[in-house]
Amino acid sequence: MNTTANTSPLSGLANRQVRLASRPVGMPTRDNWQFTTEPVAEPDDGGLVVQTLYLSLDPAMRGWMNEGKSYIPPVGLGEVMRAGGIGRVIASRHPDFPVDAYVTGTLGVQEYARFGRDEIKRLGVARIDPRLGGLTQWLNVLGMPGMTGYFGLMDIGQPKPGETVVVSGAAGAVGQTVGQLAKLKGCRVVGIAGGKAKCDWVVHELGFDACIDYKGGAVKDGLKQHCAQGVDIYFDNVGGEILDTVLTRINRKARIIICGAISQYNNTETVQGPKNYLSLLVNRARMEGMVVFDYADRYPQAIAELAGYLQAGRMKSKEDVVFGLDTFPETLLKLFTGENFGKLVLQVAKT
Amino acid sequence: MNTTANTSPLSGLANRQVRLASRPVGMPTRDNWQFTTEPVAEPDDGGLVVQTLYLSLDPAMRGWMNEGKSYIPPVGLGEVMRAGGIGRVIASRHPDFPVDAYVTGTLGVQEYARFGRDEIKRLGVARIDPRLGGLTQWLNVLGMPGMTGYFGLMDIGQPKPGETVVVSGAAGAVGQTVGQLAKLKGCRVVGIAGGKAKCDWVVHELGFDACIDYKGGAVKDGLKQHCAQGVDIYFDNVGGEILDTVLTRINRKARIIICGAISQYNNTETVQGPKNYLSLLVNRARMEGMVVFDYADRYPQAIAELAGYLQAGRMKSKEDVVFGLDTFPETLLKLFTGENFGKLVLQVAKT
């Protein structure tokens, strides 16, 4: 009997996973996580198994760790932490996903993700075309952050040439897409980021017109200096004091895109509301929330446009890649301490 | 010499005026006002003199008493307090404004208003057609509050039949227009007002589907009970806690019209920001400010529509009329204590 033919590529594989052990109060710590290992089962009919290559670390993950209703249910205690990622199909019983195909989807914080037939669509598993961009770029400008920036800026912000666009979290994944895209649309672009080094990077690497260092204080002075004509569009990734300060500088008919509020996500007290919101009244301005999933039908069109810019060298996709599933608890915190330059990516396997 | 022919209708008239004596801290008091009397001068070429009949008392007046930039400059110390009103032309050197014509405009808190040629347009002096509605209705549904409610609801809110519309300050001038108009557009309409008597009045007189008594507490429970399908449009005249509570009940793609924040106007501390504003994100909702003057070109169209409803008995215009210029300091406060049932109007002269 020839056993070689029956040896599955999965046999002997151990899947190391990171599960939510407890809900954090304030900043998450290593105690909130549990590392587990389990064997990798064969795919069911219509299913597949994916090896995780890269995981996207996003501010939204902090929200998923909390109990309570949001735009997406929380991660349950004991469950593998939710995360989007890029992987390679290593076993398949689904005709659309051959072995060795690259896919994006909600892989979770684990080395291998197994999907049943019905989970493929629900967890957003889809093939990606590596010719359009590098693998990590599919977690950045060509991925969810890029889609968020694209539809937030274009659909909610509706930029017009000559307008001034301010974006907070400028060095992050969403921020870099928003800022570079706004430049391409003919706007003046001013970022807000933490630290002089990061601000220099935003201006020199990403080509923003200016970047204000909120850690250096004086966001108000920075806005006065760099947005002499006022602010027409503010893409808000941070909330808190910065949102309040920008509200004092908006123009008539300004548009504020509420994409996130990273400054508030680890609050143990209640969220700080924008006390200058009546500036919306005086300036006939608008503040609007957006959730990227609503635009899923139009992702291909946005990806095509952004990939075109990347290939033409008119836009960059900058990732900050950290290696090792074991570093997940600490690497995630870089988002909240503002240490990452570019989109934060956890590399789980060598490619 | 026959002097009778030369006797002006203005001769001997004393114009009693209310001037801003000092800027209030918190709620205005009688000490913030100065009463003065001066003779009424003849109109210049191209000018006119108007006898004030009715003055509109509005929450926005509190803002005009403060220093600092807003959508309109503050009233200067020593100046006659700004107020819109309805009057009758008593002397004219302008061909478009014959004596005895009725006009609306920024008459100020005084018995007689004198306009130079250049002030007529700037202060919004325009003839009104008393056949379209009673004189006080021109300060209410057919006046600025009606225009505010009309364009706020229709342009910013964009109501669709079957949607649920919530409006605070429901018994006030803007609120009654918004609520009745939303009913005519096929919406379910829930008011928020202060006190059981006022809420009963809103439901029985104005025909709202329900009205929540914020003084009875439990706005949250009231919204749960009366807006079982959630809130699609919130027309906010009050800000503060009520705005925050409504934010917890909004539907996907909800629209919040920021028209005012009467709960915050007398604050000596800073304005309270809506701490639940991230509900905009979760619900992909929008919060937008509006200032009625932006729609001046379209007032005639809105007046025609609203006058049609009034004449057909499909809408009511309810005013709370208080007589006497001398009562101005106390009557104004009814807006902030919530005592008025319907649009608050100060009658200055018998008609």
Side-chain angles (χ1 to χ4, degrees):
Chain A
M1 192 169 107
N2 182 349
T3 57
T4 315
N6 286 327
T7 301
S8 160
L10 307 182
S11 69
L13 285 184
N15 181 23
R16 194 157 159 78
Q17 304 166 312
V18 181
R19 295 175 184 270
L20 185 64
S22 58
R23 302 204 180 277
V25 177
M27 201 72 90
T29 67
R30 193 163 259 269
D31 288 346
N32 298 124
W33 306 108
Q34 182 189 14
F35 284 77
T36 56
T37 304
E38 62 181 34
V40 182
E42 296 293 330
D44 292 328
D45 185 34
L48 64 153
V49 174
V50 173
Q51 181 185 22
T52 305
L53 301 176
Y54 297 100
L55 290 174
S56 174
L57 301 194
D58 296 292
M61 295 170 99
R62 180 62 189 83
W64 304 340
M65 298 172 75
N66 292 336
E67 246 169 336
K69 180 200 163 193
S70 182
Y71 62 95
I72 194 173
V75 175
L77 290 178
E79 287 180 10
V80 173
M81 180 61 190
R82 181 185 296 140
I86 298 292
R88 194 172 51 83
V89 176
I90 58 169
S92 175
R93 295 181 66 188
H94 192 298
D96 297 344
F97 294 92
V99 168
D100 285 338
Y102 289 104
V103 296
T104 181
T106 304
L107 304 182
V109 185
Q110 55 187 346
E111 291 179 312
Y112 299 94
R114 183 174 175 276
F115 299 97
R117 180 200 295 273
D118 298 337
E119 289 171 317
I120 290 174
K121 178 144 198 225
R122 183 162 60 78
L123 295 173
V125 180
R127 290 181 65 176
I128 59 171
D129 182 349
R131 293 168 304 182
L132 289 180
L135 289 179
T136 56
Q137 295 185 348
W138 285 94
L139 296 178
N140 190 10
V141 170
L142 301 181
M144 285 303 110
M147 298 300 99
T148 302
Y150 183 93
F151 291 106
L153 179 68
M154 299 306 293
D155 274 50
I156 316 271
Q158 300 177 17
K160 288 183 275 294
E163 289 192 323
T164 297
V165 175
V166 172
V167 54
S168 52
V174 176
Q176 64 179 274
T177 304
V178 169
Q180 294 183 93
L181 188 58
K183 281 297 294 177
L184 286 167
K185 302 296 176 185
C187 298
R188 175 172 176 78
V189 175
V190 177
I192 301 176
K196 184 177 182 313
K198 197 182 280 189
C199 285
D200 287 347
W201 184 84
V202 164
V203 170
H204 297 124
E205 278 293 317
L206 301 179
F208 286 33
D209 293 295
C211 189
I212 299 166
D213 173 14
Y214 73 84
K215 288 187 176 167
V219 172
K220 184 156 202 163
D221 292 344
L223 290 170
K224 268 190 203 171
Q225 184 187 338
H226 297 298
C227 307
Q229 310 299 316
V231 177
D232 299 297
I233 296 178
Y234 173 50
F235 198 107
D236 185 31
N237 290 304
V238 303
E241 290 290 339
I242 293 177
L243 171 57
D244 248 335
T245 304
V246 176
L247 275 166
T248 66
R249 303 293 304 167
I250 57 174
N251 286 335
R252 282 243 187 142
K253 292 283 174 193
R255 290 82 74 197
I256 297 178
I257 301 119
I258 301 291
C259 175
I262 198 169
S263 73
Q264 304 296 306
Y265 290 173
N266 293 300
N267 272 12
T268 49
E269 312 264 310
T270 103
V271 166
Q272 178 190 332
K275 61 181 189 298
N276 296 325
Y277 83 103
L278 287 174
S279 175
L280 297 178
L281 193 164
V282 175
N283 292 298
R284 302 83 159 146
R286 181 154 57 88
M287 188 184 277
E288 185 162 351
M290 64 97 53
V291 172
V292 66
F293 309 128
D294 297 347
Y295 301 90
D297 289 350
R298 293 164 57 199
Y299 291 169
Q301 156 205 333
I303 289 170
E305 180 176 341
L306 294 168
Y309 295 138
L310 290 174
Q311 284 160 10
R314 301 177 68 194
M315 188 181 266
K316 293 176 183 175
S317 182
K318 289 286 187 178
E319 296 86 40
D320 183 342
V321 181
V322 178
F323 186 84
L325 191 77
D326 288 347
T327 73
F328 171 76
E330 292 75 27
T331 303
L332 180 66
L333 298 188
K334 289 180 76 171
L335 290 170
F336 304 106
T337 54
E339 286 171 55
N340 55 308
F341 279 44
K343 163 66 191 162
L344 188 61
V345 171
L346 188 70
Q347 184 170 7
V348 175
K350 295 248 153 71
T351 54
Chain B
M1 191 170 113
N2 183 349
T3 58
T4 315
N6 286 327
T7 302
S8 159
L10 306 182
S11 69
L13 284 184
N15 181 22
R16 195 156 159 78
Q17 304 165 313
V18 181
R19 294 173 185 271
L20 184 63
S22 58
R23 303 205 180 276
V25 177
M27 202 72 91
T29 66
R30 192 163 262 268
D31 287 346
N32 298 123
W33 306 108
Q34 181 191 15
F35 284 77
T36 56
T37 304
E38 60 181 36
V40 182
E42 296 293 329
D44 292 329
D45 185 33
L48 63 153
V49 175
V50 173
Q51 180 184 23
T52 305
L53 302 175
Y54 296 100
L55 289 175
S56 174
L57 301 194
D58 296 293
M61 295 171 100
R62 180 63 189 81
W64 304 341
M65 299 172 76
N66 292 337
E67 245 169 336
K69 180 199 164 193
S70 182
Y71 61 95
I72 193 174
V75 174
L77 290 178
E79 287 180 11
V80 173
M81 179 61 190
R82 182 186 295 140
I86 298 292
R88 194 172 51 85
V89 176
I90 58 169
S92 176
R93 293 181 65 189
H94 192 298
D96 297 345
F97 294 93
V99 168
D100 284 338
Y102 288 104
V103 296
T104 181
T106 304
L107 305 182
V109 185
Q110 56 187 346
E111 292 178 312
Y112 300 94
R114 184 173 174 276
F115 299 97
R117 180 201 297 272
D118 297 338
E119 290 172 317
I120 289 174
K121 178 145 197 225
R122 184 163 58 79
L123 296 173
V125 181
R127 290 181 64 176
I128 59 172
D129 182 349
R131 291 168 306 181
L132 289 181
L135 289 179
T136 57
Q137 296 184 348
W138 285 93
L139 296 179
N140 190 10
V141 170
L142 300 181
M144 285 304 108
M147 298 299 99
T148 302
Y150 183 93
F151 291 105
L153 179 68
M154 299 305 293
D155 274 49
I156 316 271
Q158 299 176 18
K160 289 183 273 296
E163 288 192 323
T164 297
V165 175
V166 172
V167 54
S168 52
V174 176
Q176 65 179 274
T177 304
V178 169
Q180 293 182 92
L181 188 58
K183 282 297 294 177
L184 287 167
K185 300 297 175 185
C187 297
R188 174 171 179 78
V189 175
V190 176
I192 301 177
K196 184 177 183 313
K198 197 182 278 190
C199 285
D200 287 347
W201 185 83
V202 164
V203 171
H204 297 125
E205 277 294 316
L206 301 178
F208 285 34
D209 293 296
C211 190
I212 299 166
D213 174 13
Y214 72 84
K215 288 188 175 166
V219 171
K220 184 155 202 162
D221 292 344
L223 290 171
K224 267 190 205 173
Q225 184 187 339
H226 296 299
C227 307
Q229 309 299 316
V231 177
D232 299 295
I233 297 178
Y234 174 49
F235 197 107
D236 185 31
N237 290 304
V238 302
E241 290 291 339
I242 292 177
L243 171 58
D244 248 334
T245 304
V246 176
L247 275 166
T248 67
R249 304 293 304 168
I250 58 175
N251 286 337
R252 282 243 187 142
K253 292 283 172 192
R255 290 83 73 196
I256 296 179
I257 301 117
I258 301 291
C259 176
I262 198 168
S263 73
Q264 304 295 305
Y265 290 172
N266 294 299
N267 273 13
T268 49
E269 312 264 310
T270 106
V271 166
Q272 177 189 333
K275 63 181 188 297
N276 296 325
Y277 83 103
L278 287 174
S279 175
L280 297 178
L281 193 164
V282 175
N283 293 297
R284 302 84 157 146
R286 180 154 57 87
M287 189 185 276
E288 186 163 351
M290 64 97 54
V291 172
V292 66
F293 309 127
D294 297 346
Y295 300 90
D297 289 350
R298 293 164 57 199
Y299 290 169
Q301 157 205 334
I303 289 170
E305 181 176 339
L306 293 168
Y309 294 138
L310 289 174
Q311 284 160 8
R314 301 178 68 195
M315 188 182 266
K316 295 176 181 174
S317 182
K318 290 285 188 177
E319 296 88 39
D320 182 343
V321 181
V322 178
F323 187 84
L325 191 77
D326 288 347
T327 72
F328 171 75
E330 291 76 27
T331 303
L332 180 65
L333 298 188
K334 289 179 76 171
L335 290 170
F336 303 106
T337 55
E339 286 171 55
N340 55 307
F341 279 44
K343 164 67 191 160
L344 188 61
V345 171
L346 188 70
Q347 184 169 6
V348 175
K350 295 249 153 70
T351 54

